[in-house]
Amino acid sequence: MENVEQKQKSIFQKVFEIIKTMASKPSGLIGLIILSFHVLLALTSPFYVPYDYKAIDPSLMLQAPSSEYWFGTDSLGRDVFTRTILGGRTALTVTFFGSLIALIWGGSLGIFCGLVGGKIDDVVMRIIDAFLSIPWILAMLLIVSLLGTTTIVLIPALGFFYGKGIVRVARAATHDVIAKDFIVSARARGHSNLSIIWNEILPNVRDAIMVEGAMRWSWMLLGFSSLSFLGFGVSPPTPDWGLMISNARGLMSFAYWAVLAPIFGLSSLIIGINLTADAFAKALGIDRSTKAPV
Amino acid sequence: MFLLVIKRIFLGLITLFIVSLITFVGVEILPGDACTTYLEREAYGAALEACYERLGLNIPSYERYISWALGVFQGDFGYSLSGEMKINDVLGPRVKNSMVLASASIFIGIPIALLLGIITALWRDKLPDIIISTITIFSMTIPEFISATLLILIVAIWLEWLPGIVIVPTGASISELLPNIILPVIAISMIMTAHMARMVRSSVIQVMASDYVQMAILKGVPYWKMVFKHVLPNALLPAINVVALTIAWLLGGVVVTEVVFNYPGLGRLVIESISNRDLPVVQALAIILASIYVTINLIADLMTLILNPRLKSLQIKK
Amino acid sequence: MENIVQKINNLTIGFTSQKGEQISILKNISTSINKGETVGIVGESGSGKSTLALAMMGYVKHGLYTISGECLYHSNNLLDMNNRDLENIRGRKIAMIPQNAGQALTPNLKIGYQIDEALKLHTDFKKEDRDKKISELLNKVRLPSPEIMAQRYPHELSGGQQQRVAVAMALAGNPEILLLDEPTTGLDVTTQAHVLELLNVIAKDTGTSMVYVSHDLGAIARVSDRVIVMYSGEIVLDGPVRGILKNPIHPYTFGLLKSIPKLTSPGLPNSMSGSQPQPGIIKSGCSFFDRCNFAEDQCKSNTPDLEYLSDIKTSVRCFKYRDLINMKETKNDKIRSLNNNILENEILNISEVSITYAKQKFLEQLLNKTEDSNPTVKDINININKGETLALVGESGSGKSTILKSIAGLLKTKDGIIKFDKDIVLSNDLKKRDPANLRAIQLIFQNPDESLNPNHTVEEIVSQPLKLYFGLSGSELKQKIIEVLDKVRLGEFYLTRYPRQLSGGEKQRVAVARAFAAKPDIILCDEVTSALDVSVQAAVLNLLQELKEDFGTTYIFVSHDLAVVRAISDRVAVLYQGRLCEIGPSKHVYELPSHPYTEVLLGAVLEPDPDIKPKLVAEDIVEEKPPEQGCSFQGRCPRILGDICKKEVPPWQMGENGNSIRCHIKVDDLKKQQTIN
């Protein structure tokens, strides 16, 4: 029992240390602050929004920002401030769970391919390549238009399409590790394949996969908002930044505030996640700037 | 060498074959078929029968796949549902328009990316690097629809310098298109350029730290000569493939940007055909976009092959 | 002093640590290089020798900076010169021959271009003259057909050839000083000897001053007139080569020389305790204090100065050098002889084993084509007795590690049988081997950085075999781990450390502990000391010997280093291109008559003694594949008989002393031929 506790404590310590390293550089600190702010906002905003996000009032149409309506109102007379602070909730939830799914299936398939190598690896990678060559936006649009835009569809679909990149990274990392002498040594001792994967390979590819997952998160957010923007993400009247930008765009020559508020919300979240992912990669000693966004 | 080229082309064709299977099977297994999705509530009785007859949906799916694939192979995508016109006629001008947009972005984006990447690497951790790197991080994280919207708001609405929405017919000539694509090109190339610049930067930094660059310095090679002869050829070689992947990824951005600017290209066709549930057109678009992706990667592979002496002699030996 | 070409005054180079501390890599270096002199700078990894060599070209690596001092080339300080002026000195006045030419030649440029570049920069030759000069230079470094060579890319050459190209490139500017940074490290024994001879000839012909940086005292002894010994960023000894190698008056050099195994004296050399401290750890006193057998209290608090002794023209940084001057007679006292308890029962029998790397192609499988008739390793017959140490010796490509891998079951044999403990046939499929047999054979690898999982603590690493084979857990497991670590002289506090927190020697001890934790009968050692520093190597060898004497373990010891093999093994098998050449008791294999290949190898060994010269009897050609028929060594053999060597596989002959030689030449004839030279 005592041993187990010690081990868990050390994992917490490790996480704490990583966060400390991430926050030690200004860019990492800013990223962490922005991200935590958004997460906090998403968790708590329903409790203190000033207005009802779906209350339509034609008399309040396109009001400029005032002390009453901080960010003005949109073309249906809804409060832009209310909708903006609520607008990240769906995006954050969908993309967070989507990245988790991407991480799990991409990571396991990648490790598997790296391990078995040979023909099976070739065939799987060829199929992955084929999936990769269909622009994600086309595939996503097709799926969403046929199956609907509920989160139950969006999360696995996004998770699936953004997992392809993780497969590649996990596979390459496994390839690198598997040639090392400590794996040879474990094989020569006669450990089972499962124990080699769990004890020897996983700890060494974990970092690369996790960093990749963090990167996927920011790209998935980008993809998800693009879908929303095109009208294939969340359905109205749910407040969502992508959708809000799309709706307010036509009237932005009269009411720029209705566009700028969600743009600010979305941009800051994406930048926050990106800076955090960058700092995370650096804290784990992985250079992410050589990777392609696929 | 020749064999390797053949092999790459062959692998590309296999990929396209798999893509055709995926799109076909994908459309098959999703609930509903072209007719039910197209006719929606009217999908019953005679209308449905007629539609099945017209599209040949009542024959077994594998036969349908073969005849469709054969057609595609010969460059015939069949008929669209909505307009009942040949898909080829629909696609033709759209492909041209999108190509104009994409190639303009690539030809402007790549040189800028190279320049920025090299500058940031050579002045690593100095002022030019810090400024450019910060800008690239921002421009690479902002989605196209945001940068496009902001561009319209600032340049077209507030400053009134350029038209915000492209108002040209689908069949417009290139000279008609050019003045209209300035903003779309900027919106598209921002992300791509930022990504590529970062890749070039890290690749150059890596090579600058290599033993052979240190050796060139110790040999007394002047700085710029060393950069051009010893550093860049070796740094840009691995970057080619990554750049190709970025360009392929850009296709998604093209779709969004075209919608924002109301540009009559493939991207808008994607949205239109999906909104209209025109599955034959969607299938055709998937194949076309995938071939573009495969071709770009093939070109990158071949370029690497031609430029890399190591791979060249490897092939001779084997 | 007209003679001095380069002078270094109180040079200190360092970096700023993450905590903001200033840490020196080089401390207060002062020395000078005379015209036409060859100076060897010797030190272990981390001693600062490469930083010093680079500073001598006015080059300081990214992250490092000059804290104080200067580096004068004819009274110009290279360290505060602008780039334009440096470009005129680098390559023209001072040229560098790098450590790893394979990585130091730009991969996308042809050999000819890279040499031409140096010529263009540093001479006034016209195009035609330069082309002629390129051929001349390539000829000078003895590369065959220079015109063709100039059209090649670096990766198309062998390691030895790349190194020669680097020499040619350095000579292009006709420099006054040549700096050589470990120029032969990583090359095969015979290639190394050839490159060194070439450098000697060049030094004589051109009258260039040379600065030869190396960890290898053998190489230093071959080329230098004067030696500078570095330890932990300081010069500890500086003087004529003969004096330093024969009568070292600094305790570090004294210990180092004693810890190097030598061909001429069998048995294990004395070991030195500990390892070189990391930069910045030693704040005061002598940096060698904690490893020194002669240390006194004052050594800990006071830092000794470099003191010049004019009678032996040597500078030394030690308070106690007089003790050492007086005790030179006892230099070779404590060599430890092997005390192996070899039993007559056979523990491993390798018979008719062939191994091939060539994979059968799908088509060939279909057509049922006959397999590779020319496998990588062929016809290996070796018996090993319990408690014995058998060494497999050969250059890269000799198949020595391949054989080791198939004994461990990691590589499938094509033909032949490997039997363990007389009658247990070991399957060539690892998965089909009995766990007990897997436990009986353990491996220790060359590089502990690769063989220890970087994400495991020492405790986790050593626990693996204990959990797997003995099912231990809880406090029993921990107890056992501590016990095993104690055997390799690692204390309990190492349990929670990660490999990256250990020194090279400590890491290899952990690897040894992991192997012994399985209580194996046989341990396969794959170049276990070649990644280690010289002073650490002897300690690991001694540890291995003690452990085997305690447990009666059998070793199969693979190495390219003939001196190390001489020190630790009872019996030696010499391999060339995957075929056995000679096998026998090590004492006799190292004596003539022997197989021509053994003779070539022995001749190329570099001893840390300026009076022993290598005998180069064969060309250093690199063969990629073993010949289809006949003797494996036919391509390089200096004593080739003729057609018979090319057509027929030579027979095994009994040598005079119980060693078997596989050669067409009669043993008596071999003896005559080899004693004449």
Side-chain angles (χ1 to χ4, degrees):
Chain A
M1 262 330 264
E2 230 177 72
N3 259 338
V4 175
E5 263 172 29
Q6 251 178 11
K7 188 118 189 177
Q8 267 174 356
K9 201 175 162 193
S10 79
I11 286 172
F12 281 127
Q13 276 169 347
K14 265 185 209 162
V15 172
F16 181 69
E17 257 165 46
I18 288 172
I19 293 177
K20 222 170 88 181
T21 339
M22 283 164 71
S24 68
K25 284 210 176 139
S27 64
L29 186 66
I30 294 170
L32 278 171
I33 290 173
I34 297 178
L35 182 58
S36 358
F37 172 75
H38 271 287
V39 171
L40 208 70
L41 195 69
L43 290 174
T44 57
S45 55
F47 302 110
Y48 51 73
V49 285
Y51 298 95
D52 181 5
Y53 68 85
K54 51 183 189 299
I56 298 174
D57 185 349
S59 64
L60 292 171
M61 232 169 77
L62 296 179
Q63 298 245 335
S66 62
S67 58
E68 205 170 335
Y69 301 102
W70 292 357
F71 290 179
T73 59
D74 67 4
S75 56
L76 296 173
R78 295 175 296 196
D79 178 38
V80 176
F81 178 72
T82 304
R83 293 179 62 79
T84 303
I85 61 170
L86 289 170
R89 289 167 55 88
T90 324
L92 260 178
T93 324
V94 168
T95 53
F96 179 77
F97 288 105
S99 327
L100 221 57
I101 288 178
L103 204 64
I104 291 164
W105 88 263
S108 22
L109 186 65
I111 292 174
F112 171 79
C113 281
L115 272 178
V116 294
K119 293 253 159 27
I120 302 175
D121 178 34
D122 276 352
V123 171
V124 173
M125 286 320 285
R126 195 76 356 235
I127 295 175
I128 295 280
D129 228 27
F131 267 113
L132 215 71
S133 64
I134 308 175
W136 61 269
I137 199 149
L138 182 71
M140 279 304 302
L141 287 174
L142 193 61
I143 291 179
V144 166
S145 72
L146 291 170
L147 294 179
T149 56
T150 53
T151 36
I152 301 300
V153 175
L154 281 170
I155 291 175
L158 283 169
F160 176 71
F161 278 100
Y162 282 82
K164 297 170 305 192
I166 300 181
V167 175
R168 289 180 161 239
V169 169
R171 175 174 169 269
T174 312
H175 258 308
D176 284 352
V177 173
I178 208 159
K180 291 274 167 69
D181 277 342
F182 62 85
I183 303 285
V184 178
S185 164
R187 274 175 52 214
R189 277 200 302 274
H191 284 284
S192 69
N193 282 344
L194 214 62
S195 124
I196 292 180
I197 294 173
W198 187 253
N199 285 320
E200 310 284 343
I201 295 178
L202 213 57
N204 288 295
V205 299
R206 192 183 51 204
D207 289 0
I209 295 179
M210 270 173 12
V211 165
E212 193 60 23
M215 292 157 76
R216 292 293 134 189
W217 190 12
S218 82
W219 284 328
M220 199 184 279
L221 190 65
L222 211 144
F224 173 80
S225 327
S226 300
L227 277 183
S228 278
F229 175 80
L230 293 172
F232 293 89
V234 291
S235 18
T238 314
D240 179 85
W241 294 327
L243 198 61
M244 287 166 71
I245 296 170
S246 169
N247 289 338
R249 202 167 55 89
L251 294 165
M252 68 183 164
S253 42
F254 314 109
Y256 58 88
W257 53 86
V259 173
L260 286 187
I263 282 184
F264 178 75
L266 183 53
S267 306
S268 63
L269 177 56
I270 293 184
I271 288 170
I273 292 181
N274 236 292
L275 290 177
T276 311
D278 237 359
F280 183 54
K282 272 186 197 133
L284 292 175
I286 294 167
D287 180 13
R288 61 168 283 202
S289 53
T290 49
K291 309 256 167 58
V294 279
Chain B
M1 176 76 183
F2 180 68
L3 263 175
L4 205 69
V5 174
I6 296 289
K7 198 180 154 200
R8 291 280 154 95
I9 294 176
F10 182 67
L11 283 179
L13 287 176
I14 289 188
T15 310
L16 282 184
F17 169 69
I18 299 175
V19 170
S20 76
L21 266 182
I22 294 171
T23 46
F24 192 85
V25 173
V27 170
E28 285 292 305
I29 57 168
L30 291 175
D33 55 41
C35 285
T36 50
T37 44
Y38 175 54
L39 296 170
E40 289 187 48
R41 287 202 194 95
E42 292 147 45
Y44 55 87
L48 191 63
E49 278 307 308
C51 178
Y52 276 156
E53 191 68 35
R54 183 158 53 91
L55 290 177
L57 283 184
N58 40 8
I59 56 173
S61 53
Y62 63 91
E63 275 180 38
R64 217 149 16 92
Y65 173 71
I66 290 168
S67 70
W68 176 73
L70 280 177
V72 168
F73 198 70
Q74 290 158 357
D76 176 14
F77 290 101
Y79 288 87
S80 81
L81 281 178
S82 49
E84 291 180 23
M85 57 193 291
K86 263 183 110 66
I87 293 179
N88 290 25
D89 297 340
V90 180
L91 287 175
R94 300 296 192 113
V95 172
K96 188 202 76 192
N97 290 348
S98 282
M99 287 298 259
V100 171
L101 191 59
S103 24
S105 320
I106 290 168
F107 283 119
I108 292 169
I110 290 182
I112 294 178
L114 285 180
L115 199 67
L116 293 183
I118 293 167
I119 289 174
T120 46
L122 296 184
W123 279 272
R124 180 185 178 187
D125 297 336
K126 304 239 170 70
L127 197 65
D129 177 31
I130 294 168
I131 293 172
I132 297 174
S133 290
T134 317
I135 295 174
T136 52
I137 283 198
F138 277 93
S139 87
M140 135 180 143
T141 44
I142 305 297
E144 289 93 348
F145 69 90
I146 289 188
S147 44
T149 308
L150 283 176
L151 276 173
I152 294 177
L153 183 67
I154 297 167
V155 181
I157 296 177
W158 288 350
L159 299 171
E160 294 177 22
W161 285 353
L162 287 165
I165 303 290
V166 182
I167 315 166
V168 285
T170 311
S173 69
I174 293 182
S175 58
E176 281 177 278
L177 283 173
L178 279 180
N180 284 301
I181 61 171
I182 295 173
L183 288 184
V185 164
I186 296 175
I188 292 175
S189 42
M190 260 172 72
I191 287 197
M192 181 187 71
T193 308
H195 265 294
M196 287 196 293
R198 269 171 67 96
M199 278 176 263
V200 170
R201 175 180 184 267
S202 75
S203 186
V204 170
I205 285 177
Q206 223 171 350
V207 172
M208 289 289 278
S210 71
D211 284 1
Y212 56 84
V213 168
Q214 184 186 322
M215 189 61 213
I217 296 172
L218 294 181
K219 216 164 108 182
V221 181
Y223 185 77
W224 285 106
K225 199 173 176 202
M226 172 205 76
V227 169
F228 282 107
K229 277 283 171 186
H230 295 263
V231 178
L232 291 188
N234 295 300
L236 299 185
L237 199 62
I240 293 177
N241 269 305
V242 194
V243 166
L245 286 174
T246 314
I247 293 175
W249 187 64
L250 164 108
L251 292 173
V254 171
V255 173
V256 183
T257 315
E258 285 187 2
V259 172
V260 178
F261 288 98
N262 198 33
Y263 185 87
L266 281 180
R268 234 178 68 200
L269 186 62
V270 168
I271 303 295
E272 285 164 12
S273 59
I274 284 180
S275 310
N276 296 336
R277 317 227 149 187
D278 196 340
L279 292 183
V281 175
V282 173
Q283 279 175 332
L285 282 169
I287 296 283
I288 286 182
L289 292 175
S291 350
I292 295 173
Y293 173 91
V294 169
T295 316
I296 290 174
N297 275 297
L298 189 69
I299 293 171
D301 275 354
L302 295 183
M303 268 170 76
T304 321
L305 214 60
I306 291 163
L307 295 176
N308 191 347
R310 197 172 290 250
L311 281 176
K312 231 189 279 174
S313 61
L314 208 77
Q315 270 335 97
I316 296 164
K317 261 187 202 164
K318 273 183 184 170
Chain C
M1 285 281 250
E2 294 290 298
N3 248 341
I4 291 176
V5 287
Q6 190 155 32
K7 192 162 173 48
I8 298 159
N9 291 327
N10 303 318
L11 181 63
T12 302
I13 288 180
F15 61 94
T16 307
S17 75
Q18 287 184 332
K19 286 176 196 157
E21 260 178 298
Q22 197 176 58
I23 289 170
S24 310
I25 298 273
L26 287 180
K27 290 175 226 161
N28 225 354
I29 302 284
S30 296
T31 188
S32 59
I33 311 295
N34 292 326
K35 200 172 164 58
E37 182 188 36
T38 302
V39 179
I41 301 182
V42 70
E44 297 174 278
S45 51
S47 62
K49 57 188 191 305
S50 289
T51 311
L52 177 58
L54 290 172
M56 292 171 80
M57 294 199 79
Y59 185 87
V60 179
K61 276 200 172 166
H62 193 87
L64 297 181
Y65 54 88
T66 312
I67 295 169
S68 66
E70 51 187 9
C71 185
L72 302 174
Y73 169 75
H74 289 298
S75 70
N76 301 313
N77 186 4
L78 295 172
L79 292 168
D80 60 14
M81 209 176 258
N82 66 32
N83 278 334
R84 184 64 52 82
D85 293 337
L86 276 174
E87 277 158 19
N88 285 327
I89 286 179
R90 289 172 178 166
R92 185 178 307 187
K93 304 290 182 198
I94 312 173
M96 162 79 88
I97 298 174
Q99 169 161 21
N100 188 340
Q103 281 167 18
L105 294 171
T106 309
N108 68 316
L109 300 174
K110 287 176 183 164
I111 300 302
Y113 178 89
Q114 302 199 36
I115 298 174
D116 190 42
E117 191 179 38
L119 284 171
K120 236 196 285 187
L121 289 167
H122 305 303
T123 64
D124 304 324
F125 290 132
K126 299 234 161 43
K127 177 85 183 90
E128 310 87 69
D129 294 335
R130 287 206 309 267
D131 284 344
K132 229 186 275 163
K133 187 78 187 170
I134 293 172
S135 297
E136 221 179 281
L137 284 166
L138 288 171
N139 248 327
K140 197 173 197 166
V141 295
R142 299 204 208 109
L143 280 169
S145 41
E147 283 79 16
I148 303 170
M149 208 46 95
Q151 291 304 313
R152 296 242 174 109
Y153 289 101
H155 71 271
E156 294 169 313
L157 311 184
S158 72
Q161 287 173 328
Q162 289 169 339
Q163 206 62 52
R164 280 158 200 264
V165 170
V167 175
M169 206 160 80
L171 291 176
N174 215 357
E176 211 175 333
I177 306 171
L178 261 184
L179 289 172
L180 305 98
D181 189 2
E182 302 258 14
T184 60
T185 310
L187 300 179
D188 267 329
V189 192
T190 52
T191 315
Q192 179 183 11
H194 277 274
V195 172
L196 285 179
E197 282 323 290
L198 174 72
L199 291 173
N200 265 337
V201 171
I202 288 170
K204 272 197 199 96
D205 283 2
T206 58
T208 317
S209 307
M210 294 216 274
V211 177
Y212 190 102
V213 177
S214 180
H215 71 283
D216 183 352
L217 279 167
I220 294 272
R222 277 310 303 139
V223 292
S224 20
D225 306 319
R226 208 179 98 207
V227 178
I228 294 172
V229 182
M230 294 195 58
Y231 186 81
S232 194
E234 288 174 323
I235 293 178
V236 293
L237 199 56
D238 178 351
V241 64
R242 186 159 276 103
I244 287 193
L245 293 180
K246 299 252 177 191
N247 306 308
I249 55 164
H250 189 279
Y252 169 63
T253 320
F254 181 81
L256 195 63
L257 277 162
K258 281 211 295 184
S259 65
I260 299 173
K262 290 168 198 71
L263 273 191
T264 40
S265 46
L268 286 164
N270 237 349
S271 65
M272 237 157 126
S273 63
S275 58
Q276 194 172 236
Q278 293 287 315
I281 285 180
I282 304 244
K283 302 270 192 262
S284 69
C286 174
S287 2
F288 190 60
F289 170 76
D290 57 343
R291 297 175 74 186
C292 187
N293 296 330
F294 303 86
E296 291 174 344
D297 287 348
Q298 61 159 334
C299 301
K300 190 168 186 181
S301 45
N302 301 337
T303 313
D305 288 326
L306 201 60
E307 192 177 330
Y308 184 68
L309 313 174
S310 56
D311 51 336
I312 49 173
K313 296 199 173 93
T314 301
S315 306
V316 60
R317 190 187 291 276
C318 183
F319 295 122
K320 307 279 295 171
Y321 66 86
R322 277 182 200 88
D323 294 6
L324 278 154
I325 293 178
N326 300 332
M327 70 176 271
K328 51 189 156 189
E329 304 81 34
T330 54
K331 212 180 96 187
N332 270 335
D333 57 349
K334 274 200 233 152
I335 280 191
R336 179 196 160 109
S337 58
L338 303 184
N339 191 13
N340 289 348
N341 183 16
I342 304 171
L343 304 172
E344 276 304 303
N345 51 5
E346 197 176 272
I347 192 150
L348 198 72
N349 180 319
I350 304 170
S351 73
E352 301 294 331
V353 164
S354 301
I355 307 155
T356 178
Y357 273 118
K359 266 190 196 156
Q360 255 191 320
K361 292 227 173 86
F362 184 62
L363 202 68
E364 288 168 24
Q365 274 175 347
L366 271 186
L367 298 172
N368 212 358
K369 254 191 161 174
T370 41
E371 288 164 55
D372 190 6
S373 60
N374 194 22
T376 324
V377 170
K378 199 177 172 188
D379 296 342
I380 304 295
N381 288 297
I382 303 172
N383 305 325
I384 298 139
N385 286 331
K386 194 164 171 48
E388 189 179 26
T389 300
L390 172 87
L392 303 179
V393 178
E395 294 173 288
S396 55
S398 64
K400 49 194 194 303
S401 295
T402 309
I403 296 172
L404 217 56
K405 277 194 188 128
S406 39
I407 297 172
L410 292 163
L411 209 66
K412 286 189 180 172
T413 53
K414 190 169 86 74
D415 291 311
I417 291 171
I418 301 173
K419 274 192 208 160
F420 167 67
D421 208 5
K422 284 206 181 101
D423 45 5
I424 305 168
V425 175
L426 292 175
S427 162
N428 73 10
D429 186 352
L430 191 70
K431 300 269 170 219
K432 288 186 191 140
R433 286 198 184 180
D434 193 73
N437 298 334
L438 287 172
R439 182 196 55 75
I441 301 176
Q442 293 292 315
L443 266 160
I444 304 174
F445 294 86
Q446 170 172 7
N447 189 346
D449 287 323
E450 292 246 326
S451 71
L452 304 179
N453 191 332
N455 278 302
H456 284 177
T457 57
V458 169
E459 179 175 2
E460 284 170 300
I461 289 166
V462 180
S463 74
Q464 300 281 350
L466 294 170
K467 284 197 276 192
L468 180 71
Y469 299 128
F470 309 110
L472 297 182
S473 62
S475 59
E476 203 186 350
L477 175 67
K478 192 147 189 170
Q479 197 51 48
K480 192 75 198 168
I481 295 171
I482 293 169
E483 211 172 282
V484 173
L485 283 179
D486 184 55
K487 292 239 171 62
V488 298
R489 317 259 186 294
L490 292 177
E492 212 179 312
F493 57 94
Y494 281 95
L495 284 178
T496 53
R497 303 258 179 114
Y498 285 94
R500 61 175 178 276
Q501 299 166 315
L502 307 179
S503 74
E506 287 167 340
K507 276 183 261 192
Q508 199 61 303
R509 279 165 198 274
V510 173
V512 170
R514 178 174 65 183
F516 270 96
K519 293 202 176 137
D521 298 276
I522 302 173
I523 291 187
L524 310 172
C525 305
D526 191 357
E527 300 268 12
V528 286
T529 59
S530 42
L532 302 176
D533 273 324
V534 189
S535 71
V536 178
Q537 168 178 292
V540 170
L541 286 176
N542 275 299
L543 173 72
L544 284 170
Q545 185 59 31
E546 279 166 36
L547 287 170
K548 92 167 283 177
E549 282 171 19
D550 285 359
F551 294 100
T553 324
T554 309
Y555 284 160
I556 302 182
F557 196 95
V558 159
S559 179
H560 70 281
D561 187 330
L562 280 98
V564 166
V565 162
R566 178 81 178 100
I568 195 144
S569 64
D570 300 307
R571 220 148 47 100
V572 180
V574 182
L575 287 149
Y576 185 74
Q577 295 280 6
R579 277 83 175 142
L580 276 174
C581 294
E582 181 169 354
I583 183 165
S586 36
K587 179 160 174 255
H588 303 306
V589 170
Y590 282 76
E591 281 167 7
L592 299 173
S594 53
H595 189 282
Y597 179 55
T598 318
E599 187 195 350
V600 168
L601 277 182
L602 286 173
V605 171
L606 301 166
E607 296 262 30
D609 184 337
D611 296 331
I612 303 176
K613 279 189 184 152
K615 295 187 204 89
L616 304 175
V617 275
E619 285 303 310
D620 59 327
I621 312 161
V622 176
E623 294 180 284
E624 287 193 352
K625 258 200 213 125
E628 292 278 339
Q629 48 180 340
C631 173
S632 61
F633 192 52
Q634 54 176 281
R636 286 173 65 188
C637 186
R639 311 200 181 280
I640 190 160
L641 280 179
D643 266 359
I644 190 169
C645 298
K646 290 184 179 154
K647 297 230 168 75
E648 282 174 42
V649 176
W652 280 109
Q653 306 181 55
M654 249 348 230
E656 300 187 320
N657 310 307
N659 52 334
S660 312
I661 299 171
R662 199 184 203 186
C663 187
H664 284 297
I665 308 170
K666 293 272 167 295
V667 174
D668 289 343
D669 293 345
L670 270 176
K671 188 175 184 184
K672 270 182 220 150
Q673 290 179 13
Q674 289 171 340
T675 41
I676 286 167
N677 284 29

